[in-house]
Amino acid sequence: MSPPKTTAKIRHRCVACFKMFNRRQHLVEHMKISHHSLHQPRCGVCFKHCKSFESVREHLNVPDHLFKGDCKSIFSERGCTLCLQIFEDATALADHKNKCHLSAPLPLVTPTRTLGVNTRLKAVAIDCEMVGGGDDGSTDLCATICLVDEDEHVIFSTHVQPQLPVTDYRHKVTGLTEEDLKNGMRLQDVREKVLAILCGGHNDGAGRLLLVGHDLRHDMKCLKLQYPSHLLRDTAKYVPLMKTNLVSQSLKYLTRSYLGYKIQCGKHEPYEDCVAAMRLYKRMRDQEHGKAEEEGDGLNSWKQSDLEKMKPEELYHNSTSEYRCWCLDRR
C-alpha cells in the first residue's frame, strides 16, 4: 500500500528583501510596514533591499560562518567600500575610487562676512558651533556660523555674540575664546542674514532654498530660526544614512564611511562640517533609482482583499517609500 500523498506547502516570498511567509496575508502585512521601493538601499549583487546603507554593509560583510551566496566574495573583489556599488572589473573599480574617495577641504583662515547669493542656488548647507551658558555651561549658545553653496563656496561666515554670559567656551571642541566673540554679529542680525539667503533675497519669509545640515533642529533652535520642514535635508535624520536600528550616525562617522576622509580630529570647524553635510547630501541626491515614485499612500490606499490577490511583484510595484528620497530633488 503506497503512502498518502502530501501537498507541498506554498510559501510566499518578498521580492524585495527575500523574506518568506506561510500565508499571503502575512506577506501583505510585511509589505505594508516595510515600505519597500526602488528608492531603498540595496545590495549591488543580489539586489536585496535594506532600510539603510548600514544594513547593506552588514549584508555584504556577514561573518564567514553565516555566509551564503556570492555577495560577499563579489563585493570584496569589485565593490566600492564607500558607495557600495559593484563594478564590472578591477579597472572600473579603480577609476571609480578616484572620484568616490574625496579629500578634506582646505580650512578657512578667518571667518568672513560675505553675502554673494547666486540666484541659481538650489541648496545651501549650514553649521553652527556652540559655546555654553548658564551655571553649568550646558545651555547652548550660537557662537560661530557658516553657510556654503553646492560648490562649497562660502556664502556667509561669522562669529556671533552670545545672548547670555558664556560660562564654558568648550575650547577643546570650538577653539573659541572670549576675544573671538567680542566683535561678533548680533544673533538677530545673523538670523536675518540667513533668512535673506534662504528666501533668495526676498523679504517675504517664504523659503526657496533647500537647507542642508547635520542635526538641523539643533542649529535652528540655537539660531531661533524657523524654516519649512519640507525644505530641510538633514543627514542625521535621512533613513538611508542611519544605523540599522534607525538611530542617527555622527557626521564624523558618515564622512569617513561615505566620503572617505576624516573630520573633527581636533576642534570642530563649521566650514568643514558644512562641506561634509553638503557632500553627503549630493551623494545621496545623485543616486539613480529609475523612474520617480508616484505620490500617495502606497499599499495603504488599497483594500486588503485586493492586496491579497496581488502577486509579490505587483505588491512591490505599488509600494512606496516611507520617506522622500533625495534623488527626487533633481527633478
Side-chain angles (χ1 to χ4, degrees), residues 90-245:
T91 302
L93 174 61
D95 291 341
H96 165 79
K97 282 185 174 180
N98 290 331
K99 302 174 184 177
C100 195
H101 285 65
L102 304 179
S103 300
L106 296 175
L108 292 180
V109 179
T110 56
T112 57
R113 296 185 183 185
T114 60
L115 186 58
V117 183
N118 187 331
T119 56
R120 293 176 295 176
L121 281 178
K122 291 185 177 180
V124 297
I126 188 172
D127 184 71
C128 300
E129 289 300 326
M130 319 296 176
V131 293
D135 294 339
D136 59 356
S138 63
T139 302
D140 288 333
L141 305 171
C142 183
T144 307
I145 184 173
C146 182
L147 273 76
V148 303
D149 63 18
E150 293 183 50
D151 296 320
E152 303 174 11
H153 298 143
V154 176
I155 301 172
F156 180 54
S157 176
T158 187
H159 290 318
V160 184
Q161 290 181 8
Q163 289 190 302
L164 298 173
V166 178
T167 54
D168 184 359
Y169 282 90
R170 304 174 184 174
H171 184 75
K172 288 185 178 180
V173 175
T174 66
L176 296 173
T177 65
E178 181 179 0
E179 186 67 21
D180 292 322
L181 304 185
K182 185 169 61 176
N183 296 318
M185 291 182 67
R186 295 189 311 151
L187 183 65
Q188 180 179 345
D189 295 334
V190 170
R191 185 167 57 249
E192 290 176 357
K193 289 279 190 181
V194 172
L195 281 173
I197 294 170
L198 295 177
C199 296
H202 298 272
N203 295 320
D204 55 9
R208 288 172 172 80
L209 301 182
L210 299 175
L211 182 58
V212 177
H214 190 78
D215 195 12
L216 280 171
R217 296 296 180 186
H218 185 220
D219 290 340
M220 293 170 65
K221 180 179 179 181
C222 291
L223 286 172
K224 299 182 179 179
L225 176 71
Q226 294 184 338
Y227 202 61
S229 59
H230 72 278
L231 295 176
L232 301 181
R233 299 293 181 265
D234 194 336
T235 56
K237 303 299 181 184
Y238 190 52
V239 173
L241 291 176
M242 299 177 86
K243 297 180 181 180
T244 55
N245 59 355

Side-chain angles (χ1 to χ4, degrees), residues 187-330:
L187 183 65
Q188 180 179 345
D189 295 334
V190 170
R191 185 167 57 249
E192 290 176 357
K193 289 279 190 181
V194 172
L195 281 173
I197 294 170
L198 295 177
C199 296
H202 298 272
N203 295 320
D204 55 9
R208 288 172 172 80
L209 301 182
L210 299 175
L211 182 58
V212 177
H214 190 78
D215 195 12
L216 280 171
R217 296 296 180 186
H218 185 220
D219 290 340
M220 293 170 65
K221 180 179 179 181
C222 291
L223 286 172
K224 299 182 179 179
L225 176 71
Q226 294 184 338
Y227 202 61
S229 59
H230 72 278
L231 295 176
L232 301 181
R233 299 293 181 265
D234 194 336
T235 56
K237 303 299 181 184
Y238 190 52
V239 173
L241 291 176
M242 299 177 86
K243 297 180 181 180
T244 55
N245 59 355
L246 300 185
V247 173
S248 298
Q249 300 273 20
S250 68
L251 183 61
K252 184 174 184 177
Y253 174 84
L254 292 175
T255 303
R256 184 179 72 251
S257 300
Y258 292 85
L259 303 177
Y261 65 94
K262 296 180 180 180
I263 63 170
Q264 301 174 354
C265 297
K267 68 175 184 177
H268 292 200
E269 296 286 353
Y271 174 69
E272 183 180 61
D273 290 356
C274 270
V275 170
M278 180 59 81
R279 288 177 175 181
L280 286 165
Y281 164 70
K282 289 168 65 177
R283 183 148 290 184
M284 295 295 105
R285 181 196 65 187
D286 294 342
Q287 291 186 324
E288 295 292 342
H289 292 147
K291 69 181 183 68
E293 191 171 84
E294 297 294 332
E295 300 291 338
D297 295 329
L299 298 180
N300 290 317
S301 63
W302 292 76
K303 293 181 179 179
Q304 181 72 16
S305 58
D306 292 333
L307 291 174
E308 292 181 10
K309 296 175 184 176
M310 291 183 185
K311 296 179 180 179
E313 293 79 7
E314 292 176 303
L315 289 170
Y316 175 73
H317 177 76
N318 289 294
S319 179
T320 55
S321 175
E322 62 185 325
Y323 57 87
R324 187 183 190 279
C325 184
W326 289 351
C327 79
L328 300 177
D329 290 343
R330 300 202 309 271

